[in-house]
Amino acid sequence: MFSIAGCLPVLLAFCGAPLLFSVINRTKAKFAGRRGAPWLQPYFELAKLLRKSAVYSRTTTPLFTLGPMVSCAATATALLFVPLSGVAPVFAFPGDVLWVVYLLGTSRFFMVLAALDTGSSFEGMGANREVFFSALAEPALLLSLTTLAVWSQSLSLGGIYGNLGAVVLAPAAGPPLLLVAAALLIVFLAENARIPVDDPTTHLELTMIHEVMILDHSGPDFALIQYAASLRLWLLGSLLVGVVVPWRSAGLVLNVLAGCTCLFLLAVLTGIIESVMARLRLVRVPEFLIAASVLSIVALVLMMR
Amino acid sequence: MIGPFVFGLLLPVVAGCAALALHRRPDLASRIAAGSIVASSVLTGGCAICSLATGATASIKIPWNVPLGSLSLGMDPLSAAFVLPISILASAAALYGRDYLTATVRPGWIARSWFFFNSLVAAMLLVVSARNGLLFLFAWEAMSLASFFLVLTEYDHDEVRHAAWVYAVAAHIGTACLLVLFLLLGRGGSSLDFEQFTPQAAFASAAFILALIGFGTKAGFVALHVWLPEAHPAAPSHVSALMSGVMIKTGIYGLLRTLTFLGEVQPLWGWTLLGIGLATALYGVVFAIAQQDLKRMLAYSSVENIGIISIGLGTGLLGLAYNIPAMAACALMGSMLHILNHSLFKGVMFLGAGAIQLRTRTRDMNQLGGLLKRMPWTGRSFLVGALAISGLPPLNGFLGEALIVVGALIGVIASKHAHALPGEIVGVAVVGGLALIGGLSVACFTRAFGCVFLGEPRSQQASSAREVDGGMRIGMLILAAGCLLVSLLAPLWPALFRSAILALAGGDIRDAVMASPQPQSLLIALGVAYWLLAGVFALVWWLRRRIAGSWQAETGPTWDCGYAAPDPRMQYTASSFGDPFARLFRLLLRTRSGQGVPAGFFPQEARFSSESPDPFASSLFAPAFQVVAWLASKVRHLQHGRIQIYVLYIALTLIALLVWKLD
């Protein structure tokens, strides 16, 4: 299925996704008593990186540059199937739930190989943590989406989130949807490498996950990685806010505005979480992610009652 | 249709005998044997596609003067779904094997090896086309024996003999159950022809359990899988590919064929297969991550994939039992497609592992690295296999797994309003289970590819490796191209496999399964979505090229956080990559590590090693067989080697029989 209306939020995502990073950083700056970087800072950085040339390690193969490209392409493709609040996505088919989740997997697969391509033990370590934590986060994400699919009796993300608005006020839906939202929040933080799973601003490579995987990327490759990261933030954010604020209106513009506002509020929340929490010890992260799976299992069981 | 198939079945046998006769001219023998496999594959594969496309069945029956037996062969879509992967993988393995054997085996053994290889291919074709219990068992045993001798190729190594011995014992425990199974199924009939088997409600569950153990041993269900990680690394790589890619699938075929005899599907069978599949898949992938031997890792990954197939079958049977046709159609079709897919990507990876072993003389992933530059074709084929086996788009592995998960999701959604099926259990087991298994297999194969092909070589042998060529390269490329082709032709598969899964659906649900449009529409949508992904990638690639066209990239050493003298030994190894998983699953894996900690003011040497032995082999089967050996030693007193005593035994037996008959 193809929806022309879905192009509007997707265009907004492609243009505005990096802005989410500046919302998070401004929030953190406010908490720290700083003024913070300009709103358009992520764009300045992308523009600067695109102008620069790259330095490649002699160890690397073409996979090193392929990784960021595949990652960006897969995330962008996945975004075409994800609805923002009530607006139908550009494309939808029954079963696209899996397609979207596994596309994120493809993106990760190639980024991990690009990291291992350098032969650096730091990047090997980051790659290892990335696959380890995402293997634990994936069941939580898919089970949460299953719970929503049961509730809205649909197999496509467009259908799932489209029907959610109509039925959400039923009292039976409250507890499971709340649990799903909690599980999705954990997945959102983990997959986007935010505190408490990963600290994007830490200075010690030994404790990083996502940032340490991309130490050797520079120039346009690094720009692609950063852009893909912002798209992923937008994508997983839309899945989360679609559950938390299932308000749907008839008007397209109103819907899109509501969705974007919710996404920026989510970015503010992420900034608050990053300001008030410390990163978990690495050995505690698996427990945190398994908790997300348990929450989504409980939600599914409740949903079946 | 049956004529060319029988010809294709006999051709490898004749050529195998010819090769044996020509054992003094190994090159000619290889040529004849490999050529016959390719020719036979064209014939049998053509018959299989024909049968799948039209849903036609054909059979031939020749009397056989053996009690209960007949030379009854048949081809129907269910058989064809297994003949197709056998013929594709066998021809790729034969092309590869011609150069591989010349390089690895001493000339005197080449002809013998081909004889057994051809017998194995013919026996597998016979297994999936036999329509008589006795003929089936004969073919089954021939298959086990041929593969047993192939595993024994390098018989002068201790561990190879041990592996072959474990395999022989496992194969015969399985066959023992099958013997009882077929006698049970054929009760009351005049022969063991499959068409005379009638559903017997009283014995259905017993027969199911016997089939589960008998065929499960060959397939490698958890606890019965112990022979796989022994035999696959020991066999020559093209044989490992064939054994792992299709031979273990004959176990799945047997199980499915038995299910068609048992009448109405019972929910318990579905739950059993689902539970076994989940346990097998998780066990397989967790142990695969803990292995350092490349081929042993691939063997455990085969256990995982058999688990995934079984999850799909279980889900499909639940769909049949609870009358949700769309669920059954999707999940069963997913299993069928995964059987084909697994034979392609596991084949390419085993062939790649063989090329690596040939060029570096090691299978230890901790000794490899940097091979993508030295063996680019092997590396690219292996990459296709790794991406496909991780179940990720845009390759074929995703298609089968997506069908299975969508089947389960259809069931879960339907169970919200029709309460018969406990949807939450299906949801958690299939959707959650496959998501976890998928995530872990991404970890397993990024680890394998990263440690073997990327980074810097970790040993002298790895740094001096060079690419393989000729038949070995062609064999790998055929299978890698097969992976791509299956995903390109995604919309085609439901139409082909629809008739194969109908064999399982009896009664009223048959038409509903036939008519359910979900598998077809899902794969058409995925086929279109693959092109969408390709288009977006092409756009990104074009933009990236335009930007990068203006400058010349610099090269330098890996940055490594400013450390100026990186050494290949400092890289993350396969063991370190597996460590977090070993910690998380420590209760299951029980990884043992030995280390020598550096000591003193000027430490000289440090050492670390870890291994994860299979708990079923060491704590279940080893003690059990010790008991068997002890019992056998007690019975040995009967054997004296003196003729008189044996004559006495015969006389006593005759008297006992007479007394029994007199009553």
Side-chain angles (χ1 to χ4, degrees), chain A residues 56-58 106 118 120 303, chain B residues 373 393 416 456 554 556 558 560:
Chain A
Y56 296 124
S57 158
R58 277 188 290 272
T106 305
T118 60
S120 153
M303 193 58 97
Chain B
K373 284 182 177 165
K416 168 80 174 162
E456 292 288 342
E554 291 173 56
T558 294
D560 233 2

Side-chain angles (χ1 to χ4, degrees), chain B residues 612-623:
Chain B
S612 309
D614 199 295
F616 284 100
S618 57
S619 344
L620 179 68
F621 289 106

